[in-house]
Each structure stands twice: as C-alpha cells, then as structure tokens.
C-alpha cells in the first residue's frame, strides 16, 4: 500500500506513522528525519538543507525529490511505503506522480489528511519531547515519559526540536497554509483524500486512521 500522511506540523504524522508502518509492514519515510540526520552527519545534503530546516522554511523541491527518488528505489519500498512530511508542495506531488508512473505504478492509494487547528498545534509542539536515540515521541501533557527527561523505550535522554519553539512553529504553519494546504484539493480531485479529525486523543485518532487503512 502506498500512503502519504498530510497535515500541519504537530498533527500527529510521526506519532501515528510509526505504529501504522509496523502494522502495514511498509517503511515509514519521513523527509524531515532524513534531513535532520543528514544535518547531524554534516553530509552535502545536510549542509544544503540546514539553514532552511532551522528556520522552518521548505528545502528546495529538487533536493527533496532527489532524496525521495533514492529512498523509494530501495528494496524495502518495493511493495509500499508510508510517507510523512512529503509531498509538501504541488511540485513535489507532481514529481512523485511522475516517479511512480515511471516505475509502472499508479498514484498513491490513500492520502490521509490529519486535520487540526493552529492553536492545538502550537500547544502540542511546545510540549513535544523526542528521544535523541530511538526517536520515540512524548508530550508532557498527553503522553509524559515515566521518568522525566528519559525515554521509556531505551532509557536515553529526551530533547526538544529547535524548530518547535512557538515563533518557528508559527512560521512553519504559514508555510504549511501557503505551500502544502493546496494538496488537500489536489488529492481530493484524484479521489484519494481521506480526512481525519486529528484534534482528539492519540488513540482515538489512530483508530480512525486504522479504519481507513488496515
Ligand atoms: P518535519 O519533520 O516534517 O516537520 O520537517 C522538518 C523540516 O524539514 C521542515 O520544516 C522543512 O524545513 C524540512 N522538510 C521536511 N520535509 C520537507 C519537504 N517535503 N519539502 C521541503 N522541506 C521539507
């Protein structure tokens, strides 16, 4: 199954993507994670992307399309994938469509649109902490770690994302409205859009996505 998770930062793409990827047995491909890793490793991709990622701007379409083309070409993506944070512009969606067509595949099977208000997003991201080692996601109000500052799964230290501070989140939301929100109509037109109310508790939202995909 070929699926993309669409929604503003903080709508739950990463949180739900992890569980869905395991259940559907397809790799979770998160362009933000790939870019952050490249930045941490200081690769050429990382150096090119770091200023944009830090300030919440989008990395150039050609750069992101190049990394997606490479990633989708790996054997584990042959029978499906779950995209998180890609596509983020109409140009990226068109690029993805050409890529899939050239591989003899149809378009995406489902685009899950996680709908949540800007206010909820700012509040959620202010309280978001991540494991620096395994990437597990916590929220101080709705999903606190058992021991403060420490990952339940692997015991490593939790950290916040630099771009989760409220001013940068607001910039990312503006970028989302301008560049990414048009994809809602784009995929509705193609008959693959599945809207999900993503404002409620994580388990409830996960259940709603599951009913669509599993
Ligand atoms: P995310 O983890 O999805 O919130 O992405 C973090 C940052 O990485 C974004 O604010 C962008 O700077 C960059 N990024 C991730 N995915 C894309 C994409 N598909 N197109 C352009 N920039 C991206």
């Amino acid at each position: 199954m070929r699926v993309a998770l669409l929604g503003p930062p903080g709508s739950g793409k990463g949180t739900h993507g992890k569980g869905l990827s395991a259940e559907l047995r397809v790799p979770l491909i998160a362009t933000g994670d790939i870019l952050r890793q490249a930045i941490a490793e200081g690769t050429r991709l990382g150096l090119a992307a770091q200023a944009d990622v830090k300030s919440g701007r989008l990395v150039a379409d050609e750069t992101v399309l190049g990394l997606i083309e490479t990633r989708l070409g790996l054997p584990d993506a042959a029978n499906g994938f779950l995209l998180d944070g890609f596509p983020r512009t109409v140009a990226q969606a068109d690029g993805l469509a050409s890529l899939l067509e050239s591989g003899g595949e149809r378009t995406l099977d489902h685009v899950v649109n996680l709908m949540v208000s800007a206010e909820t997003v700012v509040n959620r991201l202010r309280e978001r902490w991540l494991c620096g080692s395994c990437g597990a996601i916590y929220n101080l109000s709705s999903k606190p770690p058992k021991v403060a500052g420490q990952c339940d799964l692997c015991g490593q230290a939790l950290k916040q994302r630099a771009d989760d501070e409220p001013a940068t989140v607001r910039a990312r939301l503006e970028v989302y409205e301008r560049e990414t929100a048009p994809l809602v109509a784009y995929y509705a037109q193609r008959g693959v859009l599945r809207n999900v109310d993503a404002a409620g508790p994580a388990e409830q939202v996960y259940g709603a996505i599951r009913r669509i995909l599993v």
Side-chain angles (χ1 to χ4, degrees), residues 29-50:
I29 300 177
T31 42
D33 287 347
I34 297 173
L35 291 167
R36 277 185 292 278
Q37 192 178 343
I39 292 169
E41 290 170 356
T43 63
R44 213 160 63 168
L45 169 66
L47 291 174
Q50 67 184 359

Side-chain angles (χ1 to χ4, degrees), residues 20 52 62 71 73-74 91 100 104 107 113 128 146 150 155 209:
L20 291 166
D52 288 333
E62 311 79 71
R71 182 62 188 86
L74 297 183
L100 293 177
T107 172
N113 180 29
R128 172 160 85 173
K146 293 198 180 81
Q150 193 176 309
I209 306 173

Side-chain angles (χ1 to χ4, degrees), residues 31-32 35-36 53 57 59 64 85-86 88 92 161 172:
T31 42
L35 291 167
R36 277 185 292 278
V53 172
R57 287 190 302 266
V59 173
V64 181
F86 176 90
R88 253 177 159 101
Q92 291 179 17
R161 264 173 61 171
R172 288 161 65 203

Side-chain angles (χ1 to χ4, degrees), residues 49-100:
Q50 67 184 359
D52 288 333
V53 172
K54 185 158 182 261
S55 61
R57 287 190 302 266
L58 292 186
V59 173
D61 289 330
E62 311 79 71
T63 307
V64 181
L65 274 165
L67 77 81
I68 277 288
E69 183 171 8
T70 307
R71 182 62 188 86
L72 293 186
L74 297 183
D76 68 337
N79 293 319
F81 47 78
L82 185 57
L83 298 172
D84 161 3
F86 176 90
R88 253 177 159 101
T89 64
V90 170
Q92 291 179 17
D94 284 340
L96 174 64
S98 321
L99 229 124
L100 293 177

Side-chain angles (χ1 to χ4, degrees), residues 10 15 120-130 136-146 158 160 164 202:
T15 297
T120 303
V121 161
V122 175
N123 289 333
R124 268 188 197 169
L125 295 187
R126 190 182 282 144
E127 306 218 313
R128 172 160 85 173
W129 286 75
L130 307 160
I137 303 170
Y138 297 88
N139 181 285
L140 295 190
S141 309
S142 60
K143 193 191 171 208
K146 293 198 180 81
L158 302 183
Q160 283 196 288
D164 276 350

